Amino acid sequence: MTKRNRIIYWVATLWLALGMLSTGVAQLVNAKEGQGGVDMITHEGYPVYLLPLLGICKILGVVAVLIPGFRLVKEWAYAGFFFIMSGAIFSHIASGDSISSILPALLLLVLTMVSWYFRPESRKHSFVNQ
């Protein structure tokens, strides 16, 4: 892995981790307090009980992506991030939200794909000969 690719990987991964961790914690806190996250998720047409589930999944995904080893778990975490962010983008579009409300989810989706694409060999799972 070249130095350039390593830098791209770590910058994208750290920004992804920060974004997912902050939104995950916010979803856990807002689910208990009944504030901002509740308004957004109900506006999108989802039940409030999804907030803590999304928050926990994001936090566990960040742990899986950052710790060494557990290559298969990393693949699942990246897939989960991809599906959560794709769903968020689609939900915003379907609800008629503005572009500015779609951009955070779009940024996290792009960071997910960049981090996954540039991950080093030591963090890749080989699906061949399994």
Side-chain angles (χ1 to χ4, degrees):
M1 171 177 246
T2 66
K3 184 176 181 179
R4 177 187 73 91
N5 288 359
R6 193 175 308 118
I7 291 170
I8 291 170
Y9 167 76
W10 280 110
V11 168
T13 302
L14 291 176
W15 276 103
L16 172 65
L18 180 63
M20 288 296 183
L21 184 63
S22 63
T23 57
V25 168
Q27 287 170 331
L28 284 175
V29 170
N30 287 336
K32 293 179 182 175
E33 296 176 4
Q35 294 178 351
V38 172
D39 294 338
M40 182 192 66
I41 202 159
T42 54
H43 167 72
E44 304 297 334
Y46 296 105
V48 177
Y49 63 77
L50 283 180
L51 279 175
L53 174 65
L54 290 171
I56 290 168
C57 289
K58 286 179 180 182
I59 293 167
L60 291 175
V62 167
V63 171
V65 167
L66 290 180
I67 62 171
F70 305 101
R71 295 175 183 185
L72 183 59
V73 176
K74 286 183 194 319
E75 294 292 332
W76 281 93
Y78 279 118
F81 287 164
F82 181 85
F83 294 131
I84 288 172
M85 291 303 103
S86 297
I89 292 167
F90 180 77
S91 296
H92 283 295
I93 292 170
S95 297
D97 292 342
S98 66
I99 294 293
S100 63
S101 64
I102 296 170
L103 290 178
L106 182 60
L107 173 63
L108 287 172
L109 179 64
V110 169
L111 288 171
T112 297
M113 293 187 296
V114 170
S115 175
W116 178 84
Y117 182 80
F118 285 100
R119 71 199 188 286
E121 287 297 322
S122 64
R123 293 177 174 260
K124 291 181 181 179
H125 178 73
S126 174
F127 291 101
V128 180
N129 297 326
Q130 293 293 320

